[in-house]
Amino acid sequence: MNQEQSKKQIAILGSTGSIGTQALDVIAEHPDRFEARVLTANTRWQLLAEQARRFLPAAVVIADERHYEALSAALADLPIQVFAGPDALCQVVQSSEVEMVLTAMVGFAGLAPTIAAIRAGKPIALANKETMVVAGELINRLCRENQVPILPVDSEHSAIFQSLIGEVSPIEKIILTASGGPFRTFTREQLETVTPAMALRHPNWDMGAKITIDSASMMNKGFEVIEAKWLFGVEPSRIQVVVHPQSVVHSAVQFADGAVKAQLGVPDMRVPIQLAFSYPERLHSNFGRLDWFTMHDLTFEAPDTERFRCLALAYEALHRGGNAPCIVNAANEIVNRAFLEGRCRFLQMADVIADTLDRATFITTPTYEDYLQSDAEARRIATSILNL
Ligand code: NAD
Ligand code: MG
């Protein structure tokens, strides 16, 4: 095998986002091991063009077709194929050259390309947790049928995955840590008046806007419970959320003998991204190291599902099963955006999601088409509740 062929060819869906740009950092650190084969973005075509010029992928996709001309013109002097539109995302991941697909796009829009990649037999580095929230059962079935592995990128799930390496016995309990977000210590009264700007200031992680708001409401942790259920085959009653404001213990697994294995590290998403790319190997990184003598207080507390009702709603969706998590995800995408734009109050987000969950059509064993319809229906319902 020559040097060229030994570089893992990676398609990054959402290369202009927080995870996407950090994935490109990882590739830049290890040019001998990884190559960006495909880069994609939704609207930020200038950044996509800059990335393409630097990493020279075989193809780029701009999901928002209005930017196709501008992007093509910007890359006209380079041997890079330029595509546009959501369907192109599903096509590029199937290219025979692609060896791994990093799903770093945000929201329900990640579902179709992830399914296309799995059907084409591509290993998935999964950042787009909404895909597992919406359709975890379907994704697991497709992965089994196509013998496709999922490597978790979400830091908690990477920690759980790492804690499970070498184990053959069942999991007694997953300890899913949560930073608690910027409003961990706020009273209900204080939560009444928090603003998007306050919510966007996350204490430990620098992430995209949507997940930052989800972290402030703790819907993100609720989604991670659902993600953990499907990734590790563990019932929700065995997944315990533990608030750990320092974000040093990234999560842990407890076994039948009471032993607990955890994974610790500095909060830097490049570590789990790199491991998803290199697994089962670990590569060197300069991303920082824990300093054991400055970590004086590692603290742990129970989450408050009354102040952070979104967490309870995610458990409720899991309990109902079927398309309930899909409904909650869609309603959440609507209120998340509305909160960011000042059209929804912080605590109102959970109210709208709960009402949508009660009103939307329940389907016990949804198909892929059912998910599309449920997503659309729940968005309509949540939007109409917000506009009342
Ligand atoms: P982001 O908003 O920073 O980036 C999103 C990317 O997806 C961008 O490249 C954007 O162009 C693309 N995109 C958005 N909507 C799209 C659409 N409709 N069609 C095609 N492309 C679209 O988001 P992020 O923070 O990088 O998060 C990405 C995913 O990773 C989310 O599912 C999030 O939950 C998950 N995640 C993120 C972090 C983090 O630290 N940022 C940690 C864990 C998990
Ligand atoms: Mg996480």
Side-chain angles (χ1 to χ4, degrees):
M1 203 191 295
N2 69 31
Q3 188 63 21
E4 280 304 304
Q5 285 167 326
S6 68
K7 295 180 195 175
K8 189 181 270 185
Q9 302 294 313
I10 300 174
I12 304 181
L13 302 181
S15 64
T16 55
S18 162
I19 293 288
T21 51
Q22 294 181 84
L24 286 174
D25 284 351
V26 169
I27 292 177
E29 290 286 326
H30 298 283
D32 52 326
R33 296 294 303 262
F34 309 124
E35 208 159 70
R37 183 83 199 175
V38 173
L39 300 177
T40 83
N42 192 26
T43 54
R44 297 173 68 190
W45 65 269
Q46 291 103 328
L47 179 55
L48 181 60
E50 272 171 43
Q51 292 178 337
R53 201 160 273 286
R54 175 159 177 222
F55 289 91
L56 298 174
V60 295
V61 180
I62 187 82
D64 185 335
E65 280 129 331
R66 289 172 301 177
H67 304 298
Y68 173 74
E69 297 297 336
L71 180 63
S72 298
L75 297 175
D77 59 322
L78 295 171
I80 299 175
Q81 288 186 286
V82 180
F83 302 102
D87 291 344
L89 294 174
C90 296
Q91 277 147 21
V92 285
V93 295
Q94 300 180 42
S95 150
S96 59
E97 310 297 328
V98 168
E99 292 172 283
M100 173 168 257
V101 176
L102 170 64
T103 64
M105 48 200 287
V106 65
F108 183 87
L111 180 61
T114 306
I115 289 178
I118 296 170
R119 286 193 194 280
K122 309 298 182 185
I124 306 292
L126 183 103
N128 178 251
K129 69 189 81 185
E130 293 91 343
T131 285
M132 286 316 262
V133 170
V134 168
E137 200 162 12
L138 172 67
I139 295 292
N140 277 352
R141 182 167 61 72
L142 291 173
C143 283
R144 268 196 312 276
E145 287 171 5
N146 294 283
Q147 297 182 353
V148 163
I150 296 188
L151 286 305
V153 167
D154 213 347
S155 58
E156 296 77 3
H157 304 75
S158 178
I160 295 162
F161 176 81
Q162 292 177 62
S163 302
L164 288 172
I165 293 171
E167 298 292 342
V168 294
S169 305
I171 295 169
E172 185 174 81
K173 192 165 92 175
I174 283 176
I175 295 100
L176 189 71
T177 53
S179 72
F183 306 141
R184 180 176 59 89
T185 59
F186 280 40
T187 63
R188 222 190 131 76
E189 291 66 41
Q190 286 174 302
L191 289 177
E192 294 279 0
T193 56
V194 293
T195 62
M198 291 162 79
L200 287 172
R201 259 177 257 128
H202 194 279
N204 304 342
W205 301 93
D206 184 9
M207 311 177 286
K210 195 252 176 185
I211 185 176
T212 307
I213 301 302
D214 285 347
S215 299
S217 70
M218 290 197 78
M219 184 53 97
N220 181 54
K221 208 48 58 179
F223 284 170
E224 292 185 354
V225 171
I226 302 177
E227 186 185 7
K229 176 198 154 101
W230 294 119
L231 285 178
F232 305 109
V234 174
E235 285 313 305
S237 60
R238 292 182 185 271
I239 305 173
Q240 181 175 20
V241 173
V242 173
V243 175
H244 167 48
Q246 298 80 19
S247 297
V248 169
V249 177
H250 293 320
S251 279
V253 180
Q254 178 176 306
F255 297 95
D257 55 358
V260 177
K261 280 167 75 179
Q263 186 261 330
L264 285 69
V266 292
D268 187 328
M269 287 308 296
R270 291 174 300 181
V271 179
I273 294 168
Q274 176 169 301
L275 184 66
F277 287 174
S278 70
Y279 183 79
E281 256 184 278
R282 287 184 186 272
L283 305 181
H284 175 76
S285 93
N286 297 316
F287 303 150
R289 299 292 185 264
L290 281 183
D291 178 352
W292 290 88
F293 302 121
T294 57
M295 296 190 290
H296 297 300
D297 303 303
L298 292 189
T299 59
F300 304 92
E301 58 196 64
D304 179 348
T305 50
E306 284 180 12
R307 278 182 307 138
F308 297 99
R309 198 178 155 211
C310 286
L311 181 56
L313 284 170
Y315 273 102
E316 171 66 21
L318 265 186
H319 175 69
R320 294 193 193 188
N323 64 338
C326 172
I327 295 166
V328 166
N329 177 71
N332 182 62
E333 289 195 29
I334 295 295
V335 294
N336 179 303
R337 167 66 65 88
F339 173 70
L340 267 173
E341 293 173 354
R343 294 181 284 110
C344 179
R345 284 171 287 106
F346 186 77
L347 291 174
Q348 193 188 357
M349 290 196 286
D351 297 341
V352 175
I353 296 166
D355 284 354
T356 308
L357 183 57
D358 285 339
R359 287 198 213 170
T361 314
F362 180 70
I363 304 169
T364 323
T365 46
T367 61
Y368 176 67
E369 283 68 31
D370 291 332
Y371 286 127
L372 298 182
Q373 280 179 19
S374 290
D375 177 74
E377 184 195 26
R379 283 169 195 268
R380 275 196 304 276
I381 296 173
T383 304
S384 70
I385 297 172
L386 265 180
N387 292 339
L388 280 181

